């Protein structure tokens, strides 16, 4: 066979392979040096559970090779009433992602938010005892981790335990157990499934002080001989801040502690920051209009271009650190399903993700 013939044989083989896996099986994921992930919404999980075939699910399968449930595996949905676990939706999701060969991550075992009220409180509404909380943590974590054993690759064990100034968040967990609540959570998870990856996850990693405290948690767990695989950086960022360098510093810091990192919840808001204004915006119309400049679902091309360039810059940085980055996950599939349309101001129209409202990959995703 001459060179020309062997190339055409290869081409034929590639075409045949593509056809065998579906004509559209190559997507964004195939151009990445790490896993490319997406958070799957409750509505999408509902479609999965009901066996519906949708454009969204097709887009996910084609473009991503890692998934996480945006809400369905948090404490509130999994154990709404003490002792009553509800696994149906999460099971449908995890079975679907396993069947489709996507790395499946669990989010989240212990978080102060979307936590059912009973978890940290006694009958009198006051904080429960140390023993009671440890008991509930052990029961929730072990039941959930055991249930998904072998079907999820890893868990966010603890989410958002550190504040921007580097202090520990005064959550109920912290008030009752102090910072060691984190150690207990990792211990229970590891006892339930020794093979499971265990992650600490947080936002706001532009803060060097916050990162120092997270690094100290990694050191503390390791010095006790405990398992921690990595630190997740949520990466809910904006079109104009923070700096890429601040996140690159965070990655270097955690990697120096001997763990992996992951970009776990990336989105880039293009809307004006509403922090500090949230009380007023609910009442003042002029603030609302200023804070929601493109309400009709059309982002001006120059802003879209800027967004694409910002995404590309961040992905270039991620690529430089590919050896340490387990996955880059975006927090939702399309702009229409992003939580940022409702947070921190309800009823806005944001454009933070890789897929448009009419379910097309944004053209600049080719450059990521
Ligand atoms: C968000 C979801 O996207 C929303 O749908 C839900 O109403 C609130 O939680 N940090 C996290 C995620 O770790 O679990 C949050 O997800 C976003 C911030």
């Amino acid at each position: 066979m001459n060179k020309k013939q062997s190339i055409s044989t290869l081409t034929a083989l590639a075409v045949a392979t593509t056809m065998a896996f579906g004509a559209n099986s190559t997507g964004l994921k195939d151009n990445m040096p790490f896993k490319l992930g997406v958070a799957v919404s409750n509505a999408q999980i509902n479609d999965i559970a009901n066996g519906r075939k949708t454009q969204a699910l097709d887009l996910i399968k084609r473009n991503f090779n890692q998934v996480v449930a945006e809400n369905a595996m948090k404490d509130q949905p999994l154990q709404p009433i003490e002792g009553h676990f509800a696994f149906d939706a999460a099971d449908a999701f995890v079975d679907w992602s396993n069947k489709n060969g996507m790395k499946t991550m669990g989010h989240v075992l212990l978080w102060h938010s979307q936590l059912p009220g009973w978890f940290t409180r006694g009958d009198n509404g006051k904080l429960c005892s140390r023993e009671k909380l440890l008991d509930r943590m052990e029961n929730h974590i072990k039941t959930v981790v055991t249930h998904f054993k072998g079907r999820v690759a890893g868990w966010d064990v603890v989410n958002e335990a550190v504040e921007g100034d580097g202090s520990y968040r005064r959550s109920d967990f912290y008030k009752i157990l102090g910072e060691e609540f984190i150690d207990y959570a990792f211990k229970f998870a590891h006892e339930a499934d020794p093979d499971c990856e265990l992650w600490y996850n947080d936002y706001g990693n532009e803060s060097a002080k916050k990162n120092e405290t997270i690094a100290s948690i990694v050191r503390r767990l390791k010095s006790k001989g405990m398992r921690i695989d990595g630190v997740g950086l949520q990466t809910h960022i904006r079109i104009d801040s923070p700096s890429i360098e601040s996140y690159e510093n965070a990655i270097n810091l955690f990697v120096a502690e001997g763990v992996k990192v992951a970009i776990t919840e990336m989105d880039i808001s293009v809307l004006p920051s509403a922090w500090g204004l949230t009380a007023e915006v609910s009442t003042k119309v002029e603030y609302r209009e200023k804070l929601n400049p493109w309400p009709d679902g059309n982002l001006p091309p120059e802003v879209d271009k800027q967004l694409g360039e910002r995404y590309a810059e961040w992905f270039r940085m991620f690529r430089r650190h590919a050896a340490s980055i387990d996955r880059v996950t975006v927090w939702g599939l399309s702009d229409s399903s992003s939580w940022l349309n409702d947070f921190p101001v309800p009823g806005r129209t944001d454009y933070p993700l890789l897929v448009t409202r009419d379910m097309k990959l944004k053209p600049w995703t080719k450059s990521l």
Side-chain angles (χ1 to χ4, degrees):
M1 210 186 317
N2 64 29
K3 200 169 166 201
K4 211 167 172 187
Q5 276 171 328
S6 70
I7 288 174
S8 72
T9 311
L10 276 179
T11 312
L13 198 67
V15 170
T17 314
T18 308
M19 285 168 67
F21 289 98
N24 295 316
S25 67
T26 49
L28 294 178
K29 63 181 180 349
D30 303 294
N31 183 32
M32 298 288 162
F34 31 65
K35 293 228 174 328
L36 187 67
V38 62
V40 182
S41 71
N42 276 343
Q44 288 155 355
I45 291 177
N46 198 28
D47 285 336
I48 293 170
N50 288 294
R52 283 191 282 268
K53 304 210 179 318
T54 68
Q55 208 183 349
L57 297 178
D58 281 348
L59 273 170
I60 292 176
K61 285 191 279 189
R62 190 179 318 143
N63 291 292
F64 300 91
N65 48 14
Q66 184 264 310
V67 285
V68 59
E70 183 181 1
N71 286 296
M73 290 164 78
K74 294 173 178 175
D75 302 55
Q76 166 69 38
L78 288 188
Q79 196 183 176
I81 300 167
E82 186 165 17
H84 294 261
F85 288 85
F87 287 122
D88 288 358
D91 277 337
F93 163 68
V94 168
D95 290 345
W96 172 83
S97 63
N98 279 323
K99 197 181 81 202
N100 287 291
M102 298 181 272
K103 178 169 184 173
T104 310
M105 296 299 294
H107 173 81
V108 49
L109 295 174
L110 219 58
W111 185 29
H112 63 275
S113 190
Q114 292 174 279
L115 180 76
W118 57 261
F119 208 113
T120 56
R121 302 278 155 169
D123 293 335
N124 54 10
K126 298 212 177 93
L127 291 179
C128 68
S129 69
R130 199 185 148 79
E131 291 65 38
K132 189 85 205 161
L133 177 58
L134 281 174
D135 208 43
R136 287 169 171 165
M137 280 172 50
E138 180 162 11
N139 185 43
H140 183 84
I141 292 174
K142 288 194 172 170
T143 305
V144 169
V145 173
T146 304
H147 182 85
F148 293 105
K149 197 170 179 162
R151 298 192 291 155
V152 305
W155 277 95
D156 289 336
V157 180
V158 172
N159 197 23
E160 303 182 355
V162 182
E163 299 277 12
D165 65 3
S167 65
Y168 283 96
R169 179 189 295 275
R170 266 54 186 170
S171 66
D172 285 355
F173 307 126
Y174 181 84
K175 286 186 201 149
I176 299 169
L177 291 171
E179 62 208 55
E180 262 198 310
F181 88 84
I182 300 168
D183 312 35
Y184 281 110
F186 276 80
K187 173 177 183 286
F188 297 146
H190 187 58
E191 284 171 1
D193 182 0
D195 297 327
C196 189
E197 292 175 17
L198 305 181
W199 291 75
Y200 174 85
N201 195 52
D202 215 324
Y203 65 92
N205 298 95
E206 64 274 20
S207 162
K209 285 185 176 150
K210 171 179 270 204
N211 295 336
E212 273 307 327
T213 304
I214 296 172
S216 78
I217 295 171
V218 173
R219 273 198 296 279
R220 187 172 81 229
L221 295 180
K222 285 190 168 253
S223 75
K224 293 180 177 175
M226 296 174 63
R227 177 167 186 167
I228 174 165
D229 293 84
V231 176
L233 295 82
Q234 291 183 9
T235 321
H236 295 292
I237 58 172
R238 317 183 46 73
I239 197 150
D240 52 0
S241 71
S243 72
I244 296 187
E245 294 71 42
S246 64
Y247 269 65
E248 191 158 20
N249 291 341
I251 291 171
N252 287 331
L253 180 74
F254 301 138
V255 169
E257 296 295 342
V259 289
K260 288 184 287 186
V261 292
I263 305 302
T264 52
E265 305 182 11
M266 188 171 189
D267 43 28
I268 304 184
S269 178
V270 300
L271 298 181
S273 171
W275 292 110
L277 292 175
T278 24
E280 285 139 298
V281 293
S282 56
T283 50
K284 290 199 183 156
V285 177
E286 63 269 35
Y287 273 129
R288 293 195 130 187
E289 284 177 358
K290 225 191 253 164
L291 290 175
N292 193 23
W294 304 295
D296 63 356
N298 293 310
L299 191 62
E302 67 277 12
V303 186
D304 180 61
K305 181 161 176 270
Q306 207 188 328
L307 177 67
E309 281 164 6
R310 177 118 165 117
Y311 257 109
E313 274 172 10
W314 281 69
F315 269 72
R316 280 200 291 278
M317 187 272 274
F318 300 153
R319 283 175 179 277
R320 283 204 295 280
H321 294 274
S324 319
I325 295 186
D326 180 64
R327 72 204 110 100
V328 174
T329 306
V330 285
W331 203 240
L333 178 66
S334 72
D335 288 345
S336 57
S337 57
S338 168
W339 71 306
L340 293 173
N341 294 311
D342 284 303
F343 181 85
V345 183
R348 295 202 292 178
T349 308
D350 209 341
Y351 302 79
L353 296 170
L354 306 180
V355 174
T356 61
R357 285 187 160 68
D358 54 359
M359 300 305 267
K360 304 254 175 356
L361 279 179
K362 296 184 183 177
W364 47 252
T365 53
K366 284 196 289 291
S367 64
L368 298 184

